[in-house]
Amino acid sequence: VVTIPIPAGTTFVLCTASKPADDGTTIVVPCNVVTGVATVAFGKLRAHRTATVNLRLQMPAVTQITQVLIDASAASSDAIWAAKHG
């Protein structure tokens, strides 16, 4: 599961996510945004594969350079199982 809090002062525009399928195609994964947090549950993902989350935000209007921090976190389960059976 990947979670990305929407930074204060920004406006959510779009969230898309995908992961590779075993046959080489791409699987689109739902991205949910609830109470200011984008969440993607990728399900099973084979070792050494890359999942992608694209988050589009509208930045606030400013008159000087302004930093907006985005913090993403990911959690996994069955990682040992995947390493043994991957």
Side-chain angles (χ1 to χ4, degrees):
V1 176
V2 174
T3 57
I4 307 170
I6 307 299
T10 65
T11 302
F12 170 79
V13 176
L14 177 70
C15 183
T16 60
S18 63
K19 69 178 186 175
D22 290 340
D23 64 3
T25 61
T26 299
I27 300 171
V28 175
V29 180
C31 181
N32 300 300
V33 178
V34 178
T35 61
V37 178
T39 304
V40 180
F42 282 105
K44 291 186 179 184
L45 184 65
R46 288 191 176 270
H48 311 291
R49 299 280 180 106
T50 301
T52 303
V53 178
N54 293 301
L55 182 62
R56 187 179 305 168
L57 304 171
Q58 181 174 346
M59 306 309 278
V62 296
T63 57
Q64 61 188 17
I65 295 174
T66 303
Q67 187 177 43
V68 175
L69 300 176
I70 298 177
D71 181 37
S73 63
S76 65
S77 60
D78 294 330
I80 294 171
W81 186 92
K84 289 181 181 177
H85 300 87

